[in-house]
Amino acid sequence: MSTATIDDKGKGHHVFDRAHWQDRLDGLRSRYHVPGAALAVLVDGEIHELVSGVLHRDTGVRVTADSVFQSGSIAKVYTATLVMQLVDSGRLRLDSRVVDVLPDFSVADDEVTKTVTVGQLLSHTSGIGGEFTHDTGRGDDCLARYVEACADVGQDCPPGTIVSYCSTGYAILGRIVEVITGQTWDDALRDRLLAPLGLAHSMTLPEEALRFRVAMSHVGELEDEPEPAPVWDMLPRSAGPYGRVLVTAGDVVRFARMHLEGGLAPDGTRVLSARSAATMRERVADCRDPWSFMANGWGHGWALYDWDGVTGYGHDGAVVGQFSYLRVVPESGVVAALLTNGGSATSFFVDLFQELLGELAGVRLPDAFAPPEEPRTVDVGALAGTYEREGVRITISERDGAPRVRLELTGGVAQYSPPIESDLVPVSDSVLAMPGIGPVSAPWLPLVFGTLPDRTPYVYFGMRASPKIS
């Protein structure tokens, strides 16, 4: 809890009760079988860093404030910031066509190859197959080779129609950064963003992370105590721009504070123009799935939230066994980041941040997605069929009058999980709930059905559109 005071200008201040929040962090972490967690909070201009648990269950090494975690998709906001720095320099525009910067770029759809823009990649509205995980080696040419391999990547949906979360697009953006700056994406991030902000415990490569205390991923069923994963990192180097910035919780908050301050570093250095900082959180499109990322809209990099009229922005991240959460509430100047290394991390995050942001920022995050206590009856036949996108095949069927799903990972991500079959619980005529699976960390996962502008049925899973193919 915190104690609020009011200054002579009517602005609220809070005395951060460190002992209380440490107690809540410890208690909720244990309740949800999370091995280790790091929390950082910016309130009234001061950053508070709290930790709990262990980095690795087998070694028992404790989490410390300088411990490094995998941030997963929070990396996308870092890449988006680099792109907007190039917009500031006049060397790139949001409406620049990708092919004008990368002449050899192509995807399977010739028209998309010719027309897709930087802004569409930033806002996840390109429709390009978003789960193209492709290992192109450890060399500095990994992103160049990745973009070459995109030639066979299809569309999840037509460009500019809906938000369909696209990691592929951020790898392409990483290559754009390389071509314009003449640096690798890793070096550009370090020199143009991490160093100016003094983020000494943020990096991109495993060999850099080994200088510090590093969190190990843990995996297992949500109701069990997770075990250390067989390997620390399953992502190839080419995944960096969309999935691998290695961070402390404090450094994540310091990065977000720059955005909160309109692009200024604490020492007054301008890292990003105020206009570009604002552009990144301007709404480009609404989210038809408000549960998977707990967002109702997307900007040019940031996920956007509306908490009963109070707006905010942030991002979530997940890699196998590590889950991260970042929320910014501009109205109150509060920023909070939570990094975890396994367990029922989503429930942990929701319970903790509902209390934390409620107390410090006066907002309440929505509850985690779950079906109603009394499930509805739906016409399963109207939803049944096979839906497919890059990396995933989803089959909806009926058994004993109840909906059922078979989820198969394909292509470059097939190694991450065997096929999963599960009963589904109806939420509405267009939403079904799937029980959570360990690699995702949430107790329930939504499948949201809709129709594209060309009348093709689709299903959202993980806020990625999979068109119906049969």
Side-chain angles (χ1 to χ4, degrees):
M1 62 191 302
S2 64
T3 302
T5 61
I6 305 295
D7 65 14
D8 58 4
K9 296 181 181 179
K11 183 178 179 181
H13 291 273
H14 296 83
V15 177
F16 187 84
D17 189 339
R18 187 180 185 91
H20 169 76
W21 293 116
Q22 183 68 59
D23 181 67
R24 296 303 292 142
L25 183 68
D26 291 338
L28 291 171
R29 180 195 61 77
S30 178
R31 174 182 174 184
Y32 289 114
H33 309 298
V34 175
L39 171 69
V41 183
L42 171 69
V43 58
D44 292 328
E46 184 178 354
I47 296 176
H48 306 269
E49 298 178 69
L50 288 74
V51 299
S52 182
V54 297
L55 296 171
H56 193 304
R57 282 200 188 278
D58 285 351
T59 65
V61 175
R62 307 293 299 180
V63 181
T64 54
D66 60 356
S67 295
V68 173
F69 289 72
Q70 298 182 52
S71 70
S73 285
I74 289 179
K76 292 180 173 68
V77 190
Y78 290 73
T79 297
T81 303
L82 286 178
V83 170
M84 295 308 296
Q85 286 179 333
L86 299 178
V87 172
D88 285 341
S89 72
R91 303 169 77 180
L92 195 65
R93 302 188 313 274
L94 291 178
D95 63 356
S96 294
R97 298 186 309 166
V98 173
V99 73
D100 289 337
V101 186
L102 306 177
D104 295 330
F105 164 78
S106 67
V107 289
D109 188 306
D110 290 341
E111 188 61 25
V112 174
T113 297
K114 297 174 188 175
T115 61
V116 70
T117 68
V118 168
Q120 288 174 326
L121 297 184
L122 285 170
S123 60
H124 299 285
T125 56
S126 71
I128 292 172
E131 291 298 291
F132 181 53
T133 299
H134 184 58
D135 190 347
T136 52
R138 288 274 302 160
D140 286 352
D141 63 347
C142 64
L143 284 177
R145 295 174 62 194
Y146 179 97
V147 172
E148 288 176 6
C150 285
D152 296 325
V153 174
Q155 292 296 116
D156 290 346
C157 57
T161 54
I162 58 175
V163 174
S164 186
Y165 194 76
C166 183
S167 293
T168 308
Y170 271 78
I172 297 167
L173 288 169
R175 179 56 183 158
I176 287 175
V177 168
E178 292 188 334
V179 168
I180 293 179
T181 65
Q183 298 179 282
T184 64
W185 170 81
D186 308 83
D187 289 348
L189 183 70
R190 182 192 63 232
D191 294 348
R192 297 166 182 265
L193 194 55
L194 304 182
L197 290 174
L199 305 183
H201 287 77
S202 299
M203 67 238 46
T204 61
L205 298 174
E207 58 267 30
E208 297 172 317
L210 287 175
R211 295 178 295 157
F212 306 107
R213 296 163 73 100
V214 178
M216 183 66 187
S217 299
H218 293 72
V219 296
E221 297 302 319
L222 295 182
E223 64 273 13
D224 299 331
E225 295 288 347
E227 297 295 330
V231 296
W232 177 71
D233 181 12
M234 295 182 69
L235 292 177
R237 185 179 174 185
S238 57
Y242 66 75
R244 187 165 59 218
V245 178
L246 312 172
V247 293
T248 62
D251 270 8
V252 174
V253 168
R254 294 178 187 97
F255 164 75
R257 180 172 59 182
M258 177 270 291
H259 280 272
L260 185 66
E261 297 295 333
L264 289 177
D267 65 359
T269 300
R270 179 154 293 284
V271 176
L272 188 68
S273 73
R275 179 177 180 180
S276 285
T279 296
M280 286 182 62
R281 57 181 182 264
E282 288 177 355
R283 184 177 297 262
V284 176
D286 295 335
C287 294
R288 300 187 186 184
D289 168 7
W291 300 290
S292 293
F293 287 83
M294 302 180 192
N296 57 35
W298 221 275
H300 288 105
W302 289 111
L304 306 179
Y305 314 106
D306 186 330
W307 300 302
D308 295 325
V310 179
T311 59
Y313 55 94
H315 214 287
D316 295 343
V319 291
V320 176
Q322 297 199 38
F323 309 94
S324 56
Y325 310 89
L326 171 62
R327 295 295 182 270
V328 183
V329 190
E331 184 175 291
S332 59
V334 171
V335 180
L338 177 68
L339 308 179
T340 69
N341 63 347
S344 298
T346 297
S347 297
F348 174 37
F349 157 73
V350 170
D351 280 8
L352 179 62
F353 273 48
Q354 282 182 339
E355 293 184 35
L356 187 73
L357 295 186
E359 181 73 27
L360 301 180
V363 299
R364 177 176 169 81
L365 270 64
D367 294 335
F369 172 76
E373 292 184 7
E374 297 185 7
R376 296 186 48 165
T377 300
V378 298
D379 179 7
V380 182
L383 307 177
T386 299
Y387 303 77
E388 190 165 9
R389 60 175 169 82
E390 187 72 43
V392 176
R393 182 179 301 113
I394 299 169
T395 304
I396 305 297
S397 59
E398 183 176 359
R399 187 172 71 178
D400 299 328
R404 188 168 175 80
V405 65
R406 177 179 170 86
L407 175 67
E408 302 170 78
L409 299 185
T410 62
V413 296
Q415 61 179 315
Y416 294 156
S417 175
I420 295 170
E421 295 195 31
S422 174
D423 291 331
L424 301 172
V425 180
V427 175
S428 72
D429 290 340
S430 60
V431 180
L432 302 176
M434 175 182 174
I437 49 180
V440 181
S441 94
W444 291 93
L445 307 173
L447 286 84
V448 182
F449 296 81
T451 305
L452 297 171
D454 65 2
R455 298 187 178 181
T456 300
Y458 71 90
V459 61
Y460 261 134
F461 184 70
M463 212 179 72
R464 298 161 174 91
S466 299
K468 189 173 185 177
I469 61 171
S470 65

